[in-house]
C-alpha cells in the first residue's frame, strides 16, 4: 500500500467568509472535498509541531508569488484573517486523480494570519498559534479595527 498526503489550506475572515480554499496535491486541478471546491496552488507548510506543554509553534505557508497568491496573502494580512491547514493521508493505489472518500485526517492547525514576507519568486504567510496557553481554545488575535471596531475617544 502506497501512502500519500494532501494538504488543504482554507483562508477565511472572522465572519467565516472564505478568501480562498487551496490544495497542494492534485496538480493543476480543482477538486471537490468536504462539499467545497479546492483550487491547486503548490504551497508548502513548515512548523506544524506541538510542544509538550500543549502550545504550538507558528506555521509558515509558502507559495509561488503569483497574482492570486499575492492578493490573497495581502488581504489576509491586512484583515487579520484566520487560516486552517489540514493534512489528510490516503492510499495512492486506489486513486490519484481526486480525493478519495474515507481519507484519514493526520493533523489540523487553525491560527490567525499574523504576518508574512516575500522574495523574488516566493511569498510566505505566518500563522499564529491556534491554542493560547492562557486563553485555552481561543485563538490569540491582534486587536484590529476589523475585529474590535473604532475605539472611543475621550
Amino acid at each position: 500500500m502506497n501512502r500519500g498526503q494532501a494538504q488543504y489550506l482554507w483562508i477565511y475572515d472572522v465572519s467565516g467568509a472564505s478568501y480562498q480554499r487551496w490544495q497542494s496535491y492534485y496538480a493543476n486541478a480543482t477538486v471537490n472535498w468536504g462539499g467545497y471546491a479546492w483550487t491547486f496552488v503548490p504551497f508548502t507548510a513548515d512548523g506544524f509541531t506541538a510542544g509538550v506543554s500543549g502550545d504550538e509553534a507558528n506555521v509558515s505557508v509558502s507559495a509561488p508569488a503569483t497574482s492570486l497568491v499575492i492578493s490573497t496573502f495581502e488581504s489576509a494580512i491586512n484583515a487579520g484573517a484566520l487560516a486552517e491547514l489540514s493534512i489528510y493521508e490516503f492510499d495512492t493505489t486506489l486513486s490519484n486523480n481526486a480525493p478519495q472518500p474515507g481519507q484519514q485526517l493526520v493533523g489540523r492547525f487553525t491560527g490567525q494570519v499574523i504576518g508574512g514576507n516575500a522574495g523574488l519568486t516566493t511569498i510566505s504567510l505566518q500563522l499564529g498559534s491556534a491554542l493560547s496557553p492562557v486563553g485555552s481554545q481561543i485563538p490569540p488575535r491582534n486587536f484590529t479595527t476589523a475585529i474590535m471596531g473604532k475605539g472611543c475617544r475621550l
Side-chain angles (χ1 to χ4, degrees):
M1 175 170 14
N2 296 326
R3 303 306 267 165
Q5 288 187 343
Q7 294 182 348
Y8 296 86
L9 178 66
W10 175 33
I11 302 173
Y12 58 100
D13 67 16
V14 293
S15 69
S18 290
Y19 289 121
Q20 293 289 327
R21 291 181 189 269
W22 295 339
Q23 55 86 18
S24 66
Y25 185 82
Y26 305 97
N28 302 319
T30 297
V31 298
N32 290 314
W33 175 246
Y36 299 101
W38 300 83
T39 305
F40 174 73
V41 173
F43 68 88
T44 59
D46 296 322
F48 196 95
T49 59
V52 187
S53 63
D55 60 339
E56 295 184 9
N58 289 346
V59 169
S60 173
V61 177
S62 299
T66 63
S67 59
L68 171 67
V69 172
I70 292 170
S71 66
T72 300
F73 281 10
E74 282 180 344
S75 297
I77 291 169
N78 291 336
L82 301 174
E84 180 178 289
L85 175 66
S86 301
I87 301 172
Y88 287 89
E89 187 175 63
F90 55 94
D91 184 357
T92 59
T93 58
L94 298 177
S95 173
N96 216 11
N97 299 327
Q100 306 164 11
Q103 291 187 23
Q104 183 70 36
L105 178 65
V106 175
R108 177 173 286 148
F109 182 93
T110 303
Q112 183 184 17
V113 176
I114 57 173
N117 55 50
L120 213 48
T121 59
T122 305
I123 186 167
S124 296
L125 197 62
Q126 299 295 321
L127 307 179
S129 175
L131 298 177
S132 169
V134 175
S136 185
Q137 297 184 4
I138 300 171
R141 295 184 176 172
N142 295 327
F143 293 113
T144 63
T145 55
I147 295 173
M148 301 297 295
K150 292 187 177 184
C152 64
R153 295 183 187 206
L154 300 174

